[in-house]
Amino acid sequence: DSIMLYAKALVLAEGGTITPDAQESFAMALRLVPNHPEARYFLALYDWQNKRPQAAIHALEAVLASTAPPPLSDELRQTVETTLRRFK
């Protein structure tokens, strides 16, 4: 959780831009908690911001389709769905 908080603080400090340092932190969170839905969401946004739209869309669709723990919260599900509609 502290890694996620740090990564989100980096994003907030940059006005919503996911910097390489934030991306590294989200990737580390994902290594510690495989399938971490929020980390996967932010990594998809990083792909989008770095001009990899198909990778971002695929990653967001995978977040929604995943049934592995930890579960996707209703709030994050709505955020991912909204983001995915915007990206398509």
Side-chain angles (χ1 to χ4, degrees):
D1 279 342
S2 60
I3 293 171
M4 284 298 295
L5 289 174
Y6 173 71
K8 290 192 285 187
L10 291 173
V11 173
L12 185 61
E14 292 297 325
T17 298
I18 301 168
T19 63
D21 287 341
Q23 184 272 342
E24 261 184 54
S25 295
F26 289 124
M28 183 183 302
L30 193 58
R31 284 191 299 275
L32 294 172
V33 180
N35 198 49
H36 192 296
E38 193 172 19
R40 293 173 68 197
Y41 168 73
F42 279 103
L43 290 170
L45 293 183
Y46 181 78
D47 282 337
W48 184 265
Q49 289 175 355
N50 285 279
K51 311 221 182 300
R52 293 188 296 267
Q54 290 306 315
I57 290 168
H58 177 74
L60 291 172
E61 290 172 339
V63 169
L64 290 175
S66 179
T67 57
L72 184 62
S73 71
D74 290 339
E75 181 181 352
L76 185 57
R77 176 175 297 284
Q78 290 175 349
T79 300
V80 171
E81 288 171 346
T82 300
T83 303
L84 191 54
R85 280 193 301 274
R86 204 174 69 224
F87 286 1
K88 286 184 174 182

